[in-house]
């Protein structure tokens, strides 16, 4: 740990005192997405001028140091895989954080929640990049039915997650407590806070560490993990991580009839069906939902090919249940 302290002292991170607790490892080790590209709205967001953003305080306690050590050693490959997938969704999430004036460090909450995998599913049936449970997802306007699960949609789920996080921050005036409540639910954090009568006298980070032992077991390590990956990501070159960044999540959108199979569109575009599935992870039955037209995400530049094929060609030769 002394070598890690030496690195931290040169990077300006604040060292604190905490408990070193060994509690499990990160999951969601799903394979990364490949060969995908974002829509015009994404590109326009990237052209927005950068402004000074609020920063989340980076309190590096012994608990955080422990997870930094884990991710730099025996969990190194997992960390590198997660950081590679940051290349896929990082710009998308950062742009939305910038729009809302929220700390960019919240990007790494998604990393801890799912490893940046839209297909991640937890043992309690939380789903997607931001690990929404069904009721919370529907409360924040996400569609969850037999055809579409927007918890798996990186764009819609990010919008919902940031709205929820902002509500939690407004409730607690603390990003640490907001992140803890995102994981365990606000009721658990409320119960921990009720054991203190002087919360207004404490800074948000100090207050979190003060109540951490009163939080559920998993949540006690949730914020330390987030802080650890934030610290490592800020200084990845120093740790000599082998990170091959995935390309950004870029696509064009084309409106297709309800009940259109992804493999029909893939054949029209001469691309693997998997590529369409990766661009549309929320289409859980491999087809657009029946009924009216549906906005399908296709590789950049593919709209004209799809439109030209809708009138004939492959569309009539497939059924959604093939």
């Amino acid at each position: 740990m002394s070598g890690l302290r030496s690195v931290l002292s040169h990077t300006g991170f604040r060292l604190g005192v905490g408990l070193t607790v060994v509690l499990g490892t990160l999951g969601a080790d799903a394979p990364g997405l490949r060969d995908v590209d974002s829509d015009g709205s994404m590109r326009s967001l990237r052209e927005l001028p950068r402004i000074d953003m609020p920063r989340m305080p980076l309190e590096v306690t012994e608990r955080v140091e422990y997870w930094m050590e884990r991710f730099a050693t025996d969990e190194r490959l997992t960390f590198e895989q997660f950081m590679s997938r940051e290349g896929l969704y990082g710009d998308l999430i950062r742009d939305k954080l910038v729009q809302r004036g929220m700390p960019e460090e919240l990007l790494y909450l998604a990393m801890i929640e799912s490893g940046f995998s839209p297909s991640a599913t937890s043992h309690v049936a939380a789903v997607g990049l931001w690990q929404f449970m069904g009721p919370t997802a529907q409360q924040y306007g996400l569609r969850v039915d037999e055809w579409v699960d927007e918890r798996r949609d990186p764009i819609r789920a990010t919008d919902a997650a940031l709205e929820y996080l902002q509500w939690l921050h407004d409730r607690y005036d603390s990003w640490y407590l907001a992140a803890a409540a995102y994981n365990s639910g606000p009721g658990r954090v409320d119960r921990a806070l009720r054991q203190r009568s002087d919360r207004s006298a404490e800074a948000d980070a100090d207050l979190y560490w003060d109540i951490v032992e009163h939080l559920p077991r998993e949540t006690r390590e949730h914020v330390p993990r987030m802080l650890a990956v934030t610290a490592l990501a800020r200084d990845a070159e120093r740790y000599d991580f082998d990170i091959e960044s995935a390309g950004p999540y870029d696509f064009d959108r084309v409106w297709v009839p309800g009940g259109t199979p992804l493999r029909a569109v893939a054949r029209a575009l001469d691309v693997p069906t998997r590529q369409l599935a990766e661009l549309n992870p929320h289409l859980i039955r491999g087809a657009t939902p029946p009924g009216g037209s549906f906005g399908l995400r296709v590789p950049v530049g593919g709209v004209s090919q799809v439109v030209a094929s809708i009138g004939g060609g492959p569309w009539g030769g497939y059924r959604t249940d093939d």
Side-chain angles (χ1 to χ4, degrees):
M1 195 68 73
S2 60
L4 182 58
R5 286 182 179 274
S6 176
V7 171
L8 289 170
S9 67
H10 284 86
T11 55
F13 296 130
R14 179 180 172 187
L15 291 174
V17 177
L19 299 174
T20 302
V21 179
V22 181
L23 292 174
T25 61
L26 281 174
D29 195 18
L33 306 181
R34 297 176 298 176
D35 302 326
V36 294
D37 304 304
S38 184
D39 72 61
S41 63
M42 282 294 135
R43 291 191 289 273
S44 66
L45 285 175
R46 292 182 189 133
E47 296 169 1
L48 291 172
R50 289 285 171 176
I51 59 176
D52 291 336
M53 298 295 295
R55 302 298 296 270
M56 183 183 296
L58 189 55
E59 181 90 2
V60 181
T61 66
E62 288 184 13
R63 214 171 196 138
V64 176
E65 287 181 317
Y66 164 74
W67 283 108
M68 291 179 69
E69 192 78 17
R70 283 286 297 274
F71 292 138
T73 55
D74 55 331
E75 291 290 328
R76 187 180 187 90
L77 180 59
T78 297
F79 179 80
E80 290 174 342
Q81 290 173 339
F82 290 176
M83 285 298 297
S84 294
R85 286 204 290 273
E86 182 194 344
L88 187 55
Y89 300 116
D91 283 346
L92 183 160
I93 298 172
R94 285 190 184 93
D95 285 337
K96 290 180 178 295
L97 287 167
V98 166
Q99 282 189 306
R100 291 175 173 267
M102 298 169 71
E104 290 193 26
E105 291 86 353
L106 291 171
L107 164 71
Y108 297 105
L109 181 59
M111 179 173 174
I112 294 302
E113 288 286 344
S114 68
F116 292 125
S117 172
S119 62
T121 303
S122 78
H123 68 282
V124 294
V127 172
L129 201 69
W130 291 94
Q131 290 291 280
F132 271 105
M133 300 291 287
T136 307
Q138 292 174 326
Q139 179 184 350
Y140 280 86
L142 298 181
R143 177 177 176 178
V144 181
D145 59 34
E146 62 178 324
W147 290 93
V148 178
D149 188 345
E150 289 186 333
R151 294 177 296 177
R152 301 176 185 270
D153 183 338
I155 297 175
R156 293 279 293 135
T158 295
D159 287 335
L162 299 192
E163 185 176 349
Y164 184 32
L165 281 165
Q166 185 63 65
W167 180 83
L168 290 169
H169 181 265
D170 292 344
R171 182 185 184 101
Y172 298 115
D173 194 27
S174 164
W175 288 115
Y176 281 27
L177 293 178
Y182 188 93
N183 178 253
S184 67
R188 299 287 186 92
V189 173
D190 290 347
R191 285 195 288 274
L193 287 172
R194 279 197 292 269
Q195 300 183 42
R196 289 189 53 89
S197 60
D198 59 340
R199 63 167 295 193
S200 61
E202 301 286 351
D204 61 358
D206 294 331
L207 177 60
Y208 169 80
W209 297 116
D210 194 52
I211 70 167
V212 66
E213 296 302 330
H214 301 293
L215 295 172
R217 178 177 175 178
E218 178 186 345
T219 306
R220 289 177 219 154
E221 300 308 305
H222 201 67
V223 171
R225 288 174 181 172
M226 181 182 70
L227 297 175
V229 298
T230 300
L232 292 176
R234 285 184 183 179
D235 208 26
E237 290 186 6
R238 182 183 292 272
Y239 293 92
D240 197 29
F241 289 113
D242 183 14
I243 299 170
E244 185 174 347
S245 184
Y249 184 64
D250 289 335
F251 58 84
D252 286 335
R253 181 179 285 107
V254 60
W255 293 92
V256 301
T260 297
L262 295 186
R263 62 195 184 108
V265 182
R267 175 169 291 190
L269 291 169
D270 193 23
V271 300
T273 302
R274 179 180 177 181
Q275 186 173 349
L276 270 294
E278 290 171 343
L279 287 172
N280 299 273
H282 48 298
L283 297 181
I284 55 179
R285 296 185 61 176
T288 62
S293 59
F294 188 88
L296 188 71
R297 297 169 190 169
V298 298
V300 172
V303 171
S304 59
Q305 290 174 263
V306 175
V307 171
S309 299
I310 288 177
W315 310 102
Y318 292 89
R319 298 180 313 184
T320 59
D321 56 354
D322 279 348

